[in-house]
Amino acid sequence: PGGRASNGGDRGGRSADVPSKTTVVVRNISFDSTADSLKTAFAAAGAIANVRLPTHADTGKPRGIALIEFSS
């Protein structure tokens, strides 16, 4: 009705059986940081699904930030 498409009432567009995840951006980290060292440092905050350490496209050097994905 009214020409609007329905997503089944799920506002996030995800089905109920897809686990949700939360990603935290950590800035100003040491350029020497590793995914393993960050997993260890943030393990007390919850189960970690993934750690990404972005690099500069031109130089390949670390950007000094991390994206830490927690599984819920």
Coordinates of all heavy atoms in Angstrom, one line a residue:
P1 N 0.8 -1.2 0.0 CA 0.0 0.0 0.0 C 0.9 1.2 0.0 O 1.9 1.3 0.7 CB -0.8 -0.1 1.3 CG -0.7 -1.5 1.8 CD 0.5 -2.1 1.1
G2 N 0.5 2.2 -0.8 CA 1.2 3.5 -0.8 C 2.4 3.5 -1.6 O 3.2 4.4 -1.6
G3 N 2.8 2.3 -2.3 CA 3.9 2.3 -3.1 C 5.2 2.1 -2.4 O 6.3 2.2 -3.0
R4 N 5.2 1.9 -1.1 CA 6.5 1.7 -0.3 C 6.8 0.2 -0.2 O 5.9 -0.6 0.1 CB 6.4 2.3 1.1 CG 6.2 3.8 1.0 CD 6.2 4.4 2.4 NE 7.4 4.0 3.1 CZ 7.5 4.2 4.4 NH1 6.5 4.6 5.2 NH2 8.6 3.9 5.0
A5 N 8.1 -0.1 -0.4 CA 8.5 -1.5 -0.3 C 8.7 -1.8 1.2 O 9.1 -0.9 2.0 CB 9.8 -1.7 -1.0
S6 N 8.4 -3.0 1.6 CA 8.5 -3.4 3.0 C 9.7 -4.3 3.1 O 10.0 -5.1 2.3 CB 7.2 -4.1 3.4 OG 7.4 -4.7 4.7
N7 N 10.4 -4.1 4.2 CA 11.5 -5.0 4.5 C 11.2 -6.0 5.6 O 12.1 -6.5 6.3 CB 12.8 -4.2 4.8 CG 12.7 -3.4 6.1 OD1 11.7 -3.4 6.8 ND2 13.7 -2.7 6.5
G8 N 9.9 -6.2 5.8 CA 9.5 -7.2 6.8 C 9.6 -6.7 8.2 O 9.6 -7.4 9.2
G9 N 9.6 -5.3 8.4 CA 9.6 -4.8 9.7 C 11.0 -4.7 10.4 O 11.2 -4.2 11.4
D10 N 12.0 -5.3 9.7 CA 13.4 -5.3 10.2 C 14.1 -4.0 9.8 O 14.5 -3.8 8.7 CB 14.1 -6.5 9.7 CG 15.5 -6.6 10.3 OD1 15.8 -5.9 11.3 OD2 16.3 -7.4 9.8
R11 N 14.2 -3.0 10.7 CA 14.7 -1.7 10.4 C 16.2 -1.7 9.9 O 16.6 -0.9 9.1 CB 14.6 -0.8 11.5 CG 13.2 -0.4 11.8 CD 13.1 0.5 13.1 NE 11.7 0.7 13.3 CZ 11.3 1.9 13.7 NH1 12.1 2.9 13.8 NH2 10.0 2.1 13.9
G12 N 16.9 -2.7 10.3 CA 18.3 -2.8 9.9 C 18.6 -3.5 8.6 O 19.7 -3.5 8.1
G13 N 17.5 -4.1 8.1 CA 17.7 -4.7 6.8 C 18.4 -6.1 6.9 O 18.7 -6.7 5.9
R14 N 18.6 -6.6 8.1 CA 19.2 -7.9 8.4 C 18.2 -8.9 8.8 O 17.2 -8.5 9.4 CB 20.3 -7.8 9.5 CG 21.4 -6.8 9.2 CD 22.3 -6.9 10.4 NE 23.4 -5.9 10.2 CZ 24.3 -5.7 11.1 NH1 24.4 -6.4 12.2 NH2 25.3 -4.9 10.8
S15 N 18.4 -10.1 8.4 CA 17.5 -11.1 8.9 C 17.8 -11.5 10.3 O 18.9 -11.2 10.8 CB 17.6 -12.4 8.0 OG 18.9 -13.0 8.1
A16 N 16.9 -12.1 11.0 CA 17.0 -12.3 12.5 C 18.2 -13.3 12.8 O 18.7 -13.3 13.9 CB 15.7 -12.8 13.0
D17 N 18.5 -14.2 11.8 CA 19.5 -15.2 12.1 C 21.0 -14.7 11.8 O 21.9 -15.5 12.0 CB 19.2 -16.5 11.3 CG 19.2 -16.2 9.8 OD1 19.1 -15.1 9.4 OD2 19.3 -17.2 9.1
V18 N 21.2 -13.5 11.4 CA 22.5 -12.9 11.1 C 23.0 -12.3 12.4 O 22.4 -11.4 13.0 CB 22.5 -11.9 10.0 CG1 23.8 -11.2 9.8 CG2 22.0 -12.5 8.7
P19 N 24.2 -12.8 12.9 CA 24.7 -12.2 14.2 C 25.1 -10.8 13.9 O 25.6 -10.4 12.9 CB 25.9 -13.1 14.5 CG 26.2 -13.8 13.2 CD 25.0 -13.9 12.4
S20 N 24.9 -9.9 14.9 CA 25.3 -8.5 14.8 C 26.7 -8.4 15.3 O 27.2 -9.1 16.1 CB 24.3 -7.6 15.6 OG 24.4 -8.0 17.0
K21 N 27.4 -7.4 14.8 CA 28.7 -7.1 15.2 C 28.9 -5.6 15.4 O 28.2 -4.8 14.8 CB 29.7 -7.5 14.1 CG 29.7 -9.0 13.9 CD 30.7 -9.5 12.9 CE 30.6 -11.0 12.8 NZ 31.4 -11.6 11.8
T22 N 29.8 -5.2 16.2 CA 30.1 -3.8 16.5 C 31.5 -3.5 16.2 O 32.4 -4.3 16.6 CB 29.8 -3.5 18.0 OG1 28.5 -3.8 18.3 CG2 30.1 -2.1 18.3
T23 N 31.8 -2.5 15.4 CA 33.1 -2.1 15.1 C 33.5 -0.8 15.8 O 32.8 0.2 15.8 CB 33.3 -1.9 13.6 OG1 32.9 -3.1 12.9 CG2 34.7 -1.5 13.2
V24 N 34.7 -0.8 16.4 CA 35.2 0.3 17.2 C 36.5 0.8 16.4 O 37.3 0.0 16.0 CB 35.6 -0.1 18.6 CG1 36.3 1.0 19.3 CG2 34.4 -0.6 19.3
V25 N 36.5 2.1 16.2 CA 37.7 2.7 15.5 C 38.6 3.2 16.6 O 38.2 4.0 17.5 CB 37.3 3.9 14.6 CG1 38.5 4.5 14.0 CG2 36.3 3.4 13.5
V26 N 39.9 2.8 16.6 CA 40.8 3.2 17.6 C 41.9 4.1 16.9 O 42.5 3.6 15.9 CB 41.5 2.0 18.3 CG1 42.5 2.5 19.3 CG2 40.5 1.1 18.9
R27 N 42.0 5.3 17.3 CA 42.9 6.2 16.6 C 44.2 6.5 17.4 O 44.3 6.2 18.6 CB 42.2 7.6 16.4 CG 41.0 7.4 15.5 CD 40.3 8.8 15.3 NE 39.1 8.6 14.7 CZ 38.9 8.8 13.4 NH1 39.9 9.1 12.6 NH2 37.7 8.6 12.8
N28 N 45.2 7.0 16.7 CA 46.5 7.4 17.4 C 47.2 6.2 18.0 O 47.8 6.3 19.1 CB 46.2 8.5 18.4 CG 47.5 9.3 18.7 OD1 48.3 9.4 17.8 ND2 47.6 9.8 19.9
I29 N 47.1 5.0 17.3 CA 47.9 3.9 17.8 C 49.3 3.9 17.3 O 49.6 4.6 16.3 CB 47.2 2.5 17.5 CG1 47.2 2.3 16.0 CG2 45.8 2.5 18.1 CD1 46.7 0.9 15.5
S30 N 50.2 3.2 18.0 CA 51.6 3.1 17.5 C 51.6 2.5 16.1 O 50.9 1.5 15.8 CB 52.4 2.3 18.5 OG 53.6 2.0 18.0
F31 N 52.5 3.0 15.3 CA 52.7 2.4 14.0 C 53.3 0.9 14.1 O 53.2 0.2 13.1 CB 53.6 3.2 13.1 CG 53.0 4.6 12.8 CD1 53.7 5.7 13.1 CD2 51.8 4.7 12.2 CE1 53.2 7.0 12.8 CE2 51.2 5.9 11.9 CZ 51.9 7.1 12.2
D32 N 53.8 0.6 15.2 CA 54.3 -0.8 15.5 C 53.3 -1.8 15.9 O 53.6 -2.9 16.1 CB 55.4 -0.7 16.5 CG 56.6 0.1 16.0 OD1 56.9 0.1 14.8 OD2 57.3 0.8 16.9
S33 N 52.0 -1.3 16.2 CA 51.0 -2.2 16.6 C 50.7 -3.3 15.7 O 50.7 -3.1 14.4 CB 49.7 -1.4 16.9 OG 49.9 -0.4 17.9
T34 N 50.3 -4.4 16.2 CA 49.9 -5.6 15.4 C 48.5 -6.0 15.7 O 48.0 -5.6 16.8 CB 50.9 -6.8 15.6 OG1 50.7 -7.2 16.9 CG2 52.3 -6.4 15.3
A35 N 47.9 -6.7 14.8 CA 46.5 -7.2 15.1 C 46.5 -8.1 16.4 O 45.6 -8.0 17.2 CB 46.0 -8.1 13.9
D36 N 47.6 -8.9 16.6 CA 47.6 -9.7 17.8 C 47.8 -8.9 19.0 O 47.1 -9.2 20.0 CB 48.8 -10.7 17.7 CG 48.5 -11.9 16.7 OD1 47.3 -12.1 16.4 OD2 49.5 -12.5 16.2
S37 N 48.6 -7.8 19.0 CA 48.7 -7.0 20.2 C 47.4 -6.3 20.5 O 47.1 -6.1 21.7 CB 49.9 -6.0 20.1 OG 49.6 -5.0 19.1
L38 N 46.7 -5.9 19.5 CA 45.4 -5.2 19.8 C 44.4 -6.2 20.2 O 43.5 -5.9 21.1 CB 44.9 -4.5 18.5 CG 45.8 -3.3 18.1 CD1 45.5 -2.8 16.7 CD2 45.7 -2.2 19.1
K39 N 44.4 -7.4 19.7 CA 43.4 -8.4 20.2 C 43.7 -8.7 21.7 O 42.7 -8.8 22.5 CB 43.6 -9.7 19.4 CG 43.0 -9.7 18.1 CD 43.2 -11.0 17.4 CE 42.7 -11.0 15.9 NZ 42.9 -12.3 15.2
T40 N 44.9 -8.8 22.1 CA 45.3 -9.0 23.5 C 44.8 -7.8 24.4 O 44.2 -8.0 25.4 CB 46.8 -9.2 23.7 OG1 47.2 -10.3 22.9 CG2 47.2 -9.4 25.1
A41 N 45.1 -6.6 23.9 CA 44.7 -5.4 24.6 C 43.2 -5.2 24.8 O 42.8 -4.7 25.8 CB 45.3 -4.2 24.0
F42 N 42.4 -5.6 23.8 CA 41.0 -5.4 23.8 C 40.2 -6.6 24.2 O 38.9 -6.6 24.2 CB 40.5 -4.8 22.5 CG 40.9 -3.3 22.3 CD1 42.1 -3.0 21.8 CD2 40.0 -2.3 22.7 CE1 42.5 -1.7 21.7 CE2 40.4 -1.0 22.6 CZ 41.6 -0.7 22.1
A43 N 40.8 -7.7 24.5 CA 40.1 -9.0 24.8 C 39.1 -8.9 25.9 O 38.1 -9.5 26.0 CB 41.1 -10.1 25.0
A44 N 39.5 -8.0 26.9 CA 38.6 -7.9 28.1 C 37.3 -7.2 27.8 O 36.3 -7.3 28.5 CB 39.4 -7.1 29.2
A45 N 37.2 -6.5 26.6 CA 36.0 -5.8 26.2 C 35.0 -6.7 25.5 O 33.9 -6.3 25.3 CB 36.4 -4.6 25.3
G46 N 35.4 -7.9 25.1 CA 34.5 -8.9 24.5 C 35.2 -9.7 23.5 O 36.4 -9.6 23.2
A47 N 34.4 -10.6 22.8 CA 35.0 -11.5 21.8 C 35.3 -10.7 20.5 O 34.4 -10.0 20.0 CB 34.0 -12.6 21.5
I48 N 36.5 -10.8 20.1 CA 36.9 -10.1 18.9 C 36.8 -11.0 17.7 O 37.3 -12.1 17.6 CB 38.3 -9.5 19.1 CG1 38.4 -8.6 20.2 CG2 38.8 -8.9 17.8 CD1 39.8 -8.1 20.6
A49 N 36.1 -10.4 16.6 CA 35.9 -11.2 15.4 C 37.0 -10.9 14.4 O 37.4 -11.7 13.6 CB 34.5 -10.9 14.8
N50 N 37.4 -9.6 14.4 CA 38.4 -9.2 13.4 C 39.1 -7.9 13.8 O 38.5 -7.1 14.5 CB 37.6 -9.0 12.0 CG 38.6 -8.8 10.9 OD1 39.7 -9.3 10.8 ND2 38.1 -8.0 9.9
V51 N 40.3 -7.8 13.4 CA 41.1 -6.5 13.6 C 41.7 -6.1 12.2 O 42.3 -6.9 11.6 CB 42.2 -6.7 14.6 CG1 43.1 -5.4 14.7 CG2 41.6 -7.0 16.0
R52 N 41.4 -4.9 11.8 CA 42.0 -4.3 10.6 C 42.9 -3.2 10.9 O 42.6 -2.3 11.7 CB 40.9 -3.9 9.6 CG 40.1 -5.0 9.1 CD 39.0 -4.6 8.1 NE 39.3 -3.4 7.3 CZ 38.4 -2.5 7.0 NH1 37.2 -2.5 7.4 NH2 38.8 -1.4 6.3
L53 N 44.1 -3.2 10.3 CA 45.0 -2.1 10.4 C 45.2 -1.4 9.0 O 46.1 -1.9 8.2 CB 46.4 -2.6 11.0 CG 46.3 -3.2 12.4 CD1 47.5 -4.0 12.7 CD2 46.1 -2.0 13.4
P54 N 44.4 -0.4 8.7 CA 44.5 0.2 7.4 C 45.9 0.8 7.1 O 46.6 1.3 8.0 CB 43.5 1.3 7.4 CG 42.5 0.9 8.5 CD 43.4 0.2 9.5
T55 N 46.3 0.8 5.8 CA 47.6 1.4 5.4 C 47.3 2.4 4.3 O 46.2 2.4 3.7 CB 48.5 0.3 4.8 OG1 47.9 -0.4 3.8 CG2 48.9 -0.7 5.9
H56 N 48.2 3.3 4.2 CA 48.1 4.3 3.1 C 48.3 3.6 1.7 O 49.1 2.8 1.6 CB 49.2 5.4 3.2 CG 49.0 6.3 4.4 ND1 48.2 7.4 4.3 CD2 49.6 6.4 5.6 CE1 48.2 8.1 5.4 NE2 49.0 7.4 6.2
A57 N 47.4 4.0 0.8 CA 47.4 3.4 -0.5 C 48.7 3.6 -1.3 O 49.2 2.8 -2.0 CB 46.2 3.9 -1.3
D58 N 49.3 4.8 -1.1 CA 50.5 5.2 -1.9 C 51.7 4.6 -1.3 O 52.6 4.1 -2.0 CB 50.6 6.7 -1.9 CG 49.5 7.4 -2.7 OD1 48.9 6.7 -3.6 OD2 49.3 8.6 -2.4
T59 N 51.9 4.6 0.0 CA 53.1 4.2 0.7 C 53.1 2.8 1.3 O 54.1 2.2 1.5 CB 53.5 5.2 1.8 OG1 52.5 5.1 2.8 CG2 53.6 6.6 1.2
G60 N 51.9 2.3 1.6 CA 51.7 1.0 2.3 C 52.1 1.1 3.7 O 52.0 0.0 4.4
K61 N 52.4 2.3 4.2 CA 52.7 2.4 5.7 C 51.4 2.5 6.5 O 50.4 2.9 6.0 CB 53.5 3.7 5.9 CG 54.9 3.6 5.3 CD 55.7 4.9 5.5 CE 57.1 4.8 4.9 NZ 57.8 6.0 5.2
P62 N 51.4 2.1 7.8 CA 50.3 2.1 8.6 C 49.7 3.6 8.8 O 50.5 4.5 8.8 CB 50.8 1.6 10.0 CG 52.0 0.9 9.7 CD 52.6 1.5 8.4
R63 N 48.4 3.7 8.9 CA 47.8 5.0 9.1 C 47.7 5.4 10.6 O 47.2 6.5 10.9 CB 46.4 4.9 8.5 CG 46.4 4.8 6.9 CD 45.1 4.7 6.3 NE 44.2 5.8 6.7 CZ 42.9 5.9 6.6 NH1 42.3 4.8 6.1 NH2 42.2 6.9 7.0
G64 N 48.0 4.4 11.5 CA 47.9 4.8 12.9 C 46.5 4.6 13.5 O 46.2 5.2 14.5
I65 N 45.6 3.9 12.8 CA 44.3 3.6 13.3 C 44.0 2.1 13.2 O 44.7 1.4 12.4 CB 43.2 4.3 12.5 CG1 43.1 3.9 11.1 CG2 43.4 5.8 12.6 CD1 41.9 4.5 10.3
A66 N 43.1 1.6 13.9 CA 42.7 0.2 13.9 C 41.1 0.1 13.9 O 40.5 1.0 14.5 CB 43.2 -0.6 15.1
L67 N 40.6 -0.8 13.2 CA 39.2 -1.1 13.3 C 39.0 -2.5 14.0 O 39.5 -3.5 13.4 CB 38.5 -1.1 11.9 CG 38.6 0.2 11.2 CD1 39.7 0.3 10.3 CD2 37.3 0.6 10.6
I68 N 38.4 -2.5 15.1 CA 38.3 -3.7 15.9 C 36.8 -4.1 15.9 O 36.0 -3.3 16.3 CB 38.8 -3.5 17.3 CG1 40.3 -3.1 17.3 CG2 38.6 -4.8 18.1 CD1 40.8 -2.7 18.6
E69 N 36.5 -5.3 15.3 CA 35.2 -5.8 15.2 C 34.9 -6.8 16.3 O 35.6 -7.8 16.4 CB 35.0 -6.4 13.8 CG 33.6 -6.8 13.5 CD 33.5 -7.4 12.1 OE1 34.2 -6.9 11.2 OE2 32.7 -8.3 11.9
F70 N 33.9 -6.5 17.1 CA 33.5 -7.4 18.2 C 32.3 -8.2 17.8 O 31.3 -7.6 17.2 CB 33.1 -6.6 19.5 CG 34.3 -5.9 20.1 CD1 34.7 -4.6 19.8 CD2 35.1 -6.6 21.1 CE1 35.8 -4.0 20.3 CE2 36.2 -6.0 21.7 CZ 36.5 -4.7 21.3
S71 N 32.2 -9.4 18.1 CA 31.0 -10.2 17.8 C 30.1 -10.1 19.0 O 30.6 -10.1 20.1 CB 31.4 -11.7 17.5 OG 32.1 -12.2 18.5
S72 N 28.8 -10.1 18.8 CA 27.9 -9.9 19.9 C 27.2 -11.2 20.1 O 26.8 -11.9 19.3 CB 26.8 -8.9 19.5 OG 27.4 -7.7 19.1

